Every structure is written in C-alpha cells, then in structure tokens.
Amino acid sequence: MSTVTPKILPATASAANPPLMIGDLLSAGVRTAGDNPIVYRDHSRHDYRRFEERVHQLAHLLTAQGVQAGDVVAVLDWDSHRYLECFFAVPMLGAVLHTVNIRLAPEQILYTMEHAEDAFVLVHEDFVGLLEPLAARLPRVRGYVLCQEAPREVETTLSMVGEYEALLAEQPKRFEFPTFEENAVATLFYTTGTTGNPKGVFFTHRQLVLHTLSEANLFQAKGVELLSRDKVYMPITPMFHVHAWGVPYTATLLGATQVYPGRYDAEMLVKLLVEEKVDFSHCVPTLLNMVLSTDAVSSKRVDLTGWKVLLGGSALTQSLARRAWTFGIDTRSAYGMSETCPVITIDILPRHVEEADVETQLPWRCKAGLPTPFVDLQVVDTNGQPLAHDGKSVGEVRVRAPWLTQAYYKEAERSEELWREGWLYTGDVGSLDEAGFLTISDRIKDVIKTGGEWLSSLELESFLSQHPAVAEVAVVGVADEKWGERPVAWVVPGNLNEPPAAEELAAFMQRFVDEGRLNRWGVPRDIRIVDAIPKTSVGKLDKKRIRREL
Amino acid sequence: MSTVTPKILPATASAANPPLMIGDLLSAGVRTAGDNPIVYRDHSRHDYRRFEERVHQLAHLLTAQGVQAGDVVAVLDWDSHRYLECFFAVPMLGAVLHTVNIRLAPEQILYTMEHAEDAFVLVHEDFVGLLEPLAARLPRVRGYVLCQEAPREVETTLSMVGEYEALLAEQPKRFEFPTFEENAVATLFYTTGTTGNPKGVFFTHRQLVLHTLSEANLFQAKGVELLSRDKVYMPITPMFHVHAWGVPYTATLLGATQVYPGRYDAEMLVKLLVEEKVDFSHCVPTLLNMVLSTDAVSSKRVDLTGWKVLLGGSALTQSLARRAWTFGIDTRSAYGMSETCPVITIDILPRHVEEADVETQLPWRCKAGLPTPFVDLQVVDTNGQPLAHDGKSVGEVRVRAPWLTQAYYKEAERSEELWREGWLYTGDVGSLDEAGFLTISDRIKDVIKTGGEWLSSLELESFLSQHPAVAEVAVVGVADEKWGERPVAWVVPGNLNEPPAAEELAAFMQRFVDEGRLNRWGVPRDIRIVDAIPKTSVGKLDKKRIRREL
C-alpha cells in the first residue's frame, strides 16, 4: 500500500459532521413506517411510533438504575420486542449491549458475564434459575430487571429492581440521547471456539451502521427483495448470535414489520409464519429443516409459498434447498461469522443463473456467494498468496471490510491469531470461481488430510446427504496409520425404522467417484448409522464432540 | 447535547479498518454487473469490466503527467463515459476532481479555475476556444488533455499533451491505487449565489460513499425502484452540477446500465431514451418540460411510458407533473442543494398516498419529501426555534447530515454564514406537515414581504401555472411605497400567437383567493406577457436578472 498525501480541508468553526449512530436507524424507520407493527409471538403488538417511545422509556429506566455510558448491560432473553428495544436503547446511551448466549453451559455463561464486566442485567424469568447460583460470583452487577410475558410473582434471590413492563410504564416518553464518537463500542458477545474460553467480539456504532446500510442495499436488490416497508420479517437466528445477523437493525431502518418468536418452538414458528404472513427469515440449515419437518408443513396443511429464507452458519445442502423449493420456499445463502458482523458474502446470482431454471440455480444458491460491497476477500495458500479464481484452488479465506471486530475483548494473543498483516483470517477453507463466487469447503480444522491430499468434510457431507434415506450427516477425520487421516461418517436416517445399510451408502458414494467429483480414497469406509448428531449452542454440527465420541 | 464517555477499545496491532473509499463503489458494480454497458450517445459502448480498466488506465495517464495526490484536476466536458471515468480515477489517486461549470461566463470560469488551483485539465474540443484566452492567466495548469468524439487535428495554443483516447490506449490496464484517510477531499465545484464570486463546495470520500449508500437505499426502495442492476440510467442533470446529484456513483455501486447523453440536445435525449430503453433520469423541471415539448414526444410518435424522472433543483409544479403522467411518465421529487451533496429529502410517499389514485398522489409528488435516513432537518423561525409540523408554519430550513460541505473553499466568512451553531442554513423557506413531509415555499431572498406578511413567490408561480394558456411563469417582489413590496409576474404563454390577457390571468388568480388559499393582496396587479424568462447556468429561473430587468 503506497502512502500519499491527499487534500484535507478544515471544517468551518460552526459546522457539524454527525457521527454514524445506531439511533438514526430507528428514526428512519419511524419516519417511513410509523404505523407498521412490532409483534411478539401471539402476545403483544404495537407500532413503530410506540417502539420508539419504548426505547426512550427504556433509556430512562436504565439511567434511573444508574446505567451510564461505558457500562455493559447484559440481556438474557428469548427473541422479543424487549430485546429489540435493548438493541437500540443500550447503545444509544453510550453503554454496551452484551447479548448473552443462553445456550452455553452455566459456567461458560458466568465466564462471559464476568469477563464482560456486566454492570446491569435484564433477564427473562426462564433464566432466573440459571442466574441465581451464579449471582454471588457476579459482584459487579448492580441490579436485575425481570422480563416476563404475564405479570406474576417470581421468588428469587437475585436483586431484582422490578419487572420490565411495570418499570417501563413509569418512565417519561422522551429521552434526550447523547451524541458521541462513532467508534464507541455498541455491542459485545462471545463466540465459542474449539479450545479455550469463549472469546468476546465487539462492534462499534460506525461498524453496525455501515453493516446495516450494506445489508439494506443487498436485501432490497432486484431479485433478492428480502426486506422493505411492505415486508414482514421474523428472525430464526437468535438475537444473541451476532445480533441476529444484524437484521433487526436493517429491518428497522427499512421500516419492515417485525415478528419476534420468543423461544424457538417449531409449532409456534409455523403458526407465526402463517398467521403473520412472514415474508423473510434467516436461520441455520438445521432450523429450516426443523420447520419443514413439522407436521403442519410436511403434510402441506399450511402453505409457506413465497417465504424467503436466508441460510448461513453452515452450508446449505442442495438436498435441503431442493426440499424447501418443493414447498415454494425461496432459499438464498450468505456467509460470515461472529467476527465479521457477520455478512461478507451473499448470493446475488449472475444474471444468466438468475434467469435459468431451478436445477441450474440450486448449486449457486448453495454457494456462499459474492463478496458484498466494501468487502475485500481473498482465498490464499499457506504462504498468504492469493489463489486463482478457477473454482478449484482451495485455501484459507481472509477478509477486510469496514465492519470486522478489531480484536477479541481483552485477548491480546488470540486477537493476533485472528488478524495477521491487516487481514482477518476466517479459519474457513474455500475457493473462488470465475464469477467471483465463494464456496466454503470446510473449516481449516475439519479438513481431512488423507494420503497427502485435503478432503473437504463438508463436500463428503453434501454427497452423502443426496441419498434419499439420509436426513442428516456429519463427517470427521480420524487418525489413520497408513493415510494420516481417514473420513468417518455419522448418518441420521430419514426414517429411523428403516435405516439404509452402510454398504448401500458407500455404493452410492462410488457414483461421485465415477463422475470424477471425488477421489477414490475419499469414500468413507466407516459409515455409522446414528439417531442424532450433536450440535453446538448455535445449531451447528459439533465436530469437536463427535471426534471425542468416536 | 450532553457529553458522555462511551467505551472505546483499541484495535489489535495487525487489524485493519478500511476507510470509506470511492474506489469500492466501482469494485462492487464490476462484481455484480461486469457485463452491463456504459453508453456514450450513439458514439461508444463498453462493459463495466472495460470501464474499470479504463479508470486504471486514466490513473496511469494522469500519474505519467505528474498528477499527484492533493492536486486538483479540472474537467470541462459534456456528460460522457470519460467524465464518469474521471469521477473515479481522480479521487482514487487522492487528487481532487474539479467539475467545472461550463455554463458560467468565461471570466467566472477563470475565477473558479484560479481559485481551485487547478493543476491539470481535461477539456472537450468544444471548450478549447473558451479556454485559450484564459490559459495565460492559469499558470498553475501543467497540461491539458483533449477530449473529442472523433480523432481530428485541433489547432490550439493550449499546451496539449494529447488526446484522451490515444493517451489511454498506451496505458497499462492495472493501477495500484493508494489507500488514504476517508476525510480526504474527493471533489470540488462552484455554486453561484445572488452576489459575489462563485463559492467552492467540496466533498470527501467518506461523504460521497455515505451519500451513495443512502441514495442506493432510497432508489431501491419498494415502490420507488429507480435503480438496480437491471435498470438503465441516463442523467439529465449535468455531471458538473453536484456530480449529477451523485447518481453516477450510485448507479455504479448498483451496476445499472449507464447512458451518457453528451451535450443536452432535446432530439438526442429523446432518441437515447427510446433506443436505450432508459428507465430512470433526473433533471430540473425545465428540462423535463423541454423533453415533453419535443415533436417526437408531444405528438406521441415515441412512447416514454414507464420512464421514471426524479425532479429537483426547483419545485415540480402540479401541472408539469400531470402533463408528464399523461405520457405515462412517473415523476418523483427530491430536495437538496450543492452544499448538501445534494439529496436530503425524497418523496417516499406515506402508504395511504401510495395506494391512492393519481390525483391524490400529485400534490405529494410535488412536495420536497421526507428527510432521508441520517438527515436531521428542521424548519425554524427567525430565532432558530423549530416550528410545528402542521403544514402551515413557515420558516427557514436547516439541516444536519453526515454529507454536508464543511465549509466554502477558502471563504471563512461565507462559511460561517452558511453554518450557524452546528446547522447548515439552506436559505430555503418551507414547512413540515404532520407526515413529516417538507414543502419548500421559496428562497428566503425571493419571499415577497407585503403588508407585513410573507408571500411565497413559488406559490404564486404554482397558481398561475395552472392556467391552461401559461407555459412558464416567474414572480418576483419589487419595492412598493405602500406595501413594502408587491409581486410582479412574468408569464410565457403556451402559444406565443395567442397570449392570454393579463386581466384574464388576474381573474383566474381570484379563484384561489375565493378558495381561501391566497390572500387578496397576493394577486399580482402587474402581470407581464413575455417571450422567455431568463435562466441561470443550471436552468433555474434567474430572479436576480428578472429584478434587474424590471
């Protein structure tokens, strides 16, 4: 990178140059869609104007409880209108929103809350029992607010200052929010790796605003059209997980109707999808699978035609995409990770694909997609040299963009493992094709090194998943004296009573060898039929546990 | 504004936080729309990939001529593919693009080029004769590049280094652009006021990127849908005028097909609209009127159904909007000025209006519109107090946004007249209604102060324009002993051979008095039928000259 001296001119004394602030996203939504509803399950419903009022009331509530700029405020709640209010009120005060991953083990939750230095906590009554034994070890917490659906007494040892709705109702409806620098931290949450403690990832107002503007542009693009003032949005990625991919911010900017489903219960999700006429959701493939497998959907008793689902977190398989399409559901992929805010690629299809039939589109819609505007993405070899865009050269994906976490919170060493020479190393292995589309083939640590070659565990999973009797599959590498590593497959049959024979599956895999798409030694000799595959707290295949259990 | 101390966390040593750079807009367009064409008149056509190559070649060309970061590069050209290339290559080098207003008088052009300290000039052959007598007084200019449609010898005293296409062809196709801070100045141009020399307005990479992201969001919004990869765009606002409202940047980000019409010739504009199937243009009302008045359009020999036109610069009258609608043309208004980059409001209609019939929509589509996201806009009284959103209270419009010029270039005093206490004062008078829609009623200096009341010259023009025999109208205030000021109207009849009588027009105005929409003393007693009304260099009514000629 060369160094140059461009022209920098001073501002006149009385000029203002407003920083990029999350609060402006809310103002914009209220301006264009003041009447649109924010829905919480079958429980509550109010419009954007009231949403804004409630954000102001929450700011009063928090301030009255001594929350100040720079403080960390933790939330343990299901996806709700309350959580959405915290997405805005907490950062708009200059405080930091810690979205606690409630699926972690209690000791891990304690670790994250201590490490984050949480000063105040909003907790749903479902998690009160979880927090009570931990509270003594969280001396920094000055108070707890109880979140619940219906007002009822909750006996607890936590130092509760009151119930969310009751406290909110007491507050004035207009708060004078401060303005401060756009590089102030707005959010903080923890991501679990294969080893060690969870790592804290943080984002600033500037980063979230830029990520939101980017998402809003992509989600409105012709042909994509996931969000607008006229669309209904419901997340099925938890709000504690990378702010539900930042989409609540984007939906608010664009004034979309927002439906929050609370705890993810398949029947409730389907009920809301149908009754609220949801147009757009995002989730990991496992959750889409769960929705499609409900009685109501699989029996076609309800109609989900026109529902658009953005998949991420792990690769969408062609078989799941095809299955969704048979229900009239439009799927599209995006790629990113906690550290990237998260969206850095999305399937904006090349025009000739967009105009083609479903079978042509399917493989494209399962790729990670095209790097989004302002994202610089490379696939590099082990020496950091960019590889050819030929759809074959496989290496690690590294990235630059204006919205990547600038460090792990209070983790100097691991921060420097994530960032090297100005690039964030994703730990994902993939390739770029001639059209610039990224395909993720594996996590670097899940790649199976066999006979001097790299075998992608994801690709093996994709091949196996195409067998009609296979519902779910995981492939991991295990140590092998002769080959270094060899692949082992775990398979959950679609019908547990009629599982396919391992030999039949191996024979099925031979087809891909014959087609030249798989090396001979890539066919797993060890295929095990199981009832279920362990998952991580965010619904991904838990390969660490699978390896342990082998 | 209260002061708080939010949490600021350091980045790890190896992290990168890329600045917002104009070059990223180009990369994004090439990624999603590499095949889409950039068209210049009926003269040339190439795709986005070649567009990017040409930008790199232009950077080599300029560098070879000694242009460095911080230098100012002037362009005098009609709207062209070349100009578009300068929009990118010059700022991407860290240099400043001076878009010279070629409609100014030669002495004013000289003033702006001297004041801007232009170091290098690209000049279309049509303007060589204009520059020759000025060149001796522009000693800073190190060289000129000739832009022309067909290679032919041009005899000139300018120190030409060569012809654009010939020079470009010699350059390598890949340039390593530098990265630098986002607050670097990217563009500079001059705006003419009522008094004094033209004032230099400048924008940074950051401001242009944010303005572009904002425009891209608005222009893709459901119902608006002005731009996408599948749309064809042609500006009819000159590229020297606030970078054609920034739309070439937005069109590039979104990968739209772009058509540049060269010199604005009504027949050529219509030919391109039809042959290139243009979906979207923007212009001042006068130019829309010019297009509608061509033989081809007015006789309906060509069909412009579906053409979308964004109007700004001066208010769109209902009669012109209605006329456009009879041709199937969809009009929409936006508002801004040179100092605001420019877009700060746009007609995103309230839903009940969007769903209503044309007659209901028309008045809304002639309003300035809703402040766009990240724009804070107020209408204030003479004490700087915000007025009620009642659609009636009239005051000066002031604004804050992340993309407003931070000063007039080298004009300390006038910069502090523009900016007061953190607000940019637009010099426009207007009102906000209950829906938050802005209506501009006048320039502060054009308001007619009569009998202790403020009369809006624009409103009088709008009323008069509704008379079927009126083609164009201008109203100014002149000094009056009794009333302070009184209105005088200039009227251009639709048919010069059958002009309406002044008495008939006065009687027509009485109707608005009877309807309670106009005060009795607002009816101009002095209505003059004229052949033409003087215009400024950007096509607005030149009221300064009208007052002088009265």
Side-chain angles (χ1 to χ4, degrees), chain A residues 2 7 12-14 16 18 31 36 182 185 206 213 216-217 220-221 229-230 349 351 371-372 375 401 406 416 422, chain B residues 7 12-14 16 18 31 36 178 182 185 206 213 216-217 220-221 229-230 349 351 371-372 375 401 406 416 419 422:
Chain A
S2 52
K7 197 183 280 290
T12 190
S14 299
R31 262 183 216 163
N36 269 353
E182 65 189 33
V185 177
R206 172 188 163 100
L213 280 170
N217 262 314
Q220 290 186 103
R229 183 172 70 173
D230 296 335
L349 303 179
R351 198 173 340 212
T372 66
V375 170
Q406 294 292 291
E416 284 291 301
Chain B
K7 197 182 280 290
T12 189
S14 298
R31 263 182 216 164
N36 268 353
E182 65 190 33
V185 177
R206 171 186 164 102
L213 280 169
N217 263 313
Q220 290 186 104
R229 183 173 68 172
D230 296 337
L349 303 179
R351 200 175 335 219
T372 66
V375 170
Q406 295 290 292
E416 285 290 299
W419 282 99

Side-chain angles (χ1 to χ4, degrees), chain A residues 40-91:
Chain A
Y40 176 49
R41 286 201 139 194
D42 47 4
H43 181 72
S44 82
R45 178 183 301 264
H46 53 252
D47 66 17
Y48 265 64
R49 275 184 286 268
R50 179 78 189 111
F51 164 28
E52 186 179 42
E53 259 179 21
R54 289 172 57 94
V55 167
H56 284 242
Q57 288 180 304
L58 176 54
H60 274 294
L61 188 170
L62 293 170
T63 304
Q65 292 299 328
V67 172
Q68 292 184 323
D71 282 345
V72 182
V73 176
V75 176
L76 293 87
D77 195 0
W78 306 113
D79 290 5
S80 69
H81 59 312
R82 293 178 298 259
Y83 218 138
L84 181 67
E85 287 149 18
C86 292
F87 267 41
F88 287 92
V90 175

Side-chain angles (χ1 to χ4, degrees), chain A residues 248-384:
Chain A
Y249 288 122
T250 307
T252 300
L253 169 67
L254 298 179
T257 294
Q258 302 184 49
V259 179
Y260 289 92
R263 183 179 188 153
Y264 292 172
D265 163 71
E267 306 303 323
M268 174 57 80
L269 292 178
V270 172
K271 177 179 146 84
L272 291 170
L273 284 175
V274 174
E275 290 182 3
E276 300 296 336
K277 301 186 177 64
V278 172
D279 296 295
F280 165 51
S281 298
H282 49 81
C283 59
V284 292
T286 314
L287 268 161
L288 175 59
N289 197 38
M290 179 176 103
V291 168
L292 298 186
S293 302
T294 55
D295 274 355
V297 177
S298 61
S299 69
K300 304 217 172 183
R301 206 166 64 241
V302 301
D303 180 11
L304 295 183
T305 304
W307 184 38
K308 292 187 176 188
V309 186
L310 187 68
L311 281 304
S314 50
L316 172 66
T317 60
Q318 287 191 44
S319 57
L320 180 57
R322 186 175 287 106
R323 187 159 161 236
W325 280 47
T326 65
F327 291 101
I329 298 166
D330 181 89
T331 61
R332 195 175 288 272
S333 297
Y335 164 70
M337 53 200 288
S338 295
E339 290 84 344
T340 62
C341 200
V343 180
I344 49 175
T345 74
I346 189 171
D347 275 340
I348 302 277
L349 303 179
R351 198 173 340 212
H352 71 275
V353 176
E354 194 176 67
E355 288 163 0
D357 59 16
V358 171
E359 282 305 314
T360 309
Q361 286 195 23
L362 271 177
W364 287 88
R365 285 186 179 249
C366 295
K367 295 185 186 205
L370 212 55
T372 66
F374 303 97
V375 170
D376 194 359
L377 185 148
Q378 295 183 336
V379 169
V380 294
D381 65 19
T382 46
N383 299 317

Side-chain angles (χ1 to χ4, degrees), chain B residues 299-327:
Chain B
S299 69
K300 304 218 170 179
R301 207 167 64 238
V302 301
D303 181 10
L304 295 183
T305 304
W307 185 37
K308 294 187 177 189
V309 186
L310 187 68
L311 280 303
S314 51
L316 172 65
T317 60
Q318 287 192 43
S319 57
L320 180 56
R322 186 174 287 109
R323 190 159 159 235
W325 280 46
T326 63
F327 291 101

Side-chain angles (χ1 to χ4, degrees), chain A residues 1-2 4-21 24-25 28 31-33 36 69-70 72 93-94 96 176-185 202 206-207 209-210 213-214 216-218 220-222 228-230 253-254 348-351 354 370-377 400-403 406-407 409 412 415-416 419-423 435, chain B residues 1-2 4-21 24-25 28 31-33 36 69-70 72 93-94 96 176-185 202 206-207 209-210 213-214 216-218 220-222 228-230 253-254 348-351 354 370-377 400-403 406-407 409 412 415-416 419-423 435:
Chain A
M1 193 188 304
S2 52
V4 299
T5 310
K7 197 183 280 290
I8 311 281
L9 293 175
T12 190
S14 299
N17 192 18
L20 300 177
M21 293 271 109
D24 282 320
L25 306 172
R31 262 183 216 163
T32 50
N36 269 353
V72 182
L93 284 171
V96 178
E176 278 301 320
F177 283 101
T179 302
F180 43 85
E181 51 182 304
E182 65 189 33
N183 291 321
V185 177
F202 54 91
R206 172 188 163 100
Q207 291 177 321
V209 165
L210 292 175
L213 280 170
S214 169
N217 262 314
L218 299 166
Q220 290 186 103
K222 184 95 189 301
S228 77
R229 183 172 70 173
D230 296 335
L253 169 67
L254 298 179
I348 302 277
L349 303 179
R351 198 173 340 212
E354 194 176 67
L370 212 55
T372 66
F374 303 97
V375 170
D376 194 359
L377 185 148
R400 255 185 212 142
W403 48 77
Q406 294 292 291
Y409 188 41
S415 297
E416 284 291 301
W419 281 100
R420 280 169 264 158
E421 295 172 352
W423 290 94
Chain B
M1 193 189 303
S2 52
V4 299
T5 309
K7 197 182 280 290
I8 310 282
L9 292 174
T12 189
S14 298
N17 192 18
L20 301 177
M21 293 271 110
D24 283 320
L25 306 172
R31 263 182 216 164
T32 50
N36 268 353
V72 182
L93 284 172
V96 178
E176 278 302 319
F177 284 101
T179 303
F180 42 85
E181 51 183 304
E182 65 190 33
N183 291 321
V185 177
F202 54 91
R206 171 186 164 102
Q207 291 177 319
V209 165
L210 292 174
L213 280 169
S214 169
N217 263 313
L218 299 166
Q220 290 186 104
K222 184 96 188 302
S228 78
R229 183 173 68 172
D230 296 337
L253 169 68
L254 298 178
I348 303 276
L349 303 179
R351 200 175 335 219
E354 195 177 65
L370 212 55
T372 66
F374 304 96
V375 170
D376 194 359
L377 184 147
R400 255 185 211 143
W403 48 77
Q406 295 290 292
Y409 188 42
S415 297
E416 285 290 299
W419 282 99
R420 280 168 264 159
E421 295 171 353
W423 291 93

Side-chain angles (χ1 to χ4, degrees), chain B residues 387-465:
Chain B
L387 296 169
H389 291 205
D390 58 8
K392 286 179 293 201
S393 303
V394 169
E396 186 169 1
V397 178
R398 67 181 190 184
V399 68
R400 255 185 211 143
W403 48 77
L404 310 184
T405 192
Q406 295 290 292
Y408 289 123
Y409 188 42
K410 300 190 289 190
E411 293 269 14
E413 199 176 315
R414 295 163 100 186
S415 297
E416 285 290 299
E417 285 164 18
L418 176 68
W419 282 99
R420 280 168 264 159
E421 295 171 353
W423 291 93
L424 185 149
Y425 280 76
T426 61
D428 283 322
V429 166
S431 61
L432 287 164
D433 64 19
E434 291 81 356
F437 260 59
L438 176 69
T439 301
I440 297 294
S441 46
D442 219 337
R443 290 293 293 168
I444 262 207
K445 62 183 164 35
D446 291 335
V447 161
I448 301 159
K449 289 107 186 165
T450 183
E453 295 279 332
W454 279 15
L455 256 183
S456 158
S457 64
L458 289 191
E459 196 168 43
L460 291 180
E461 286 161 9
S462 163
F463 289 149
L464 267 170
S465 76

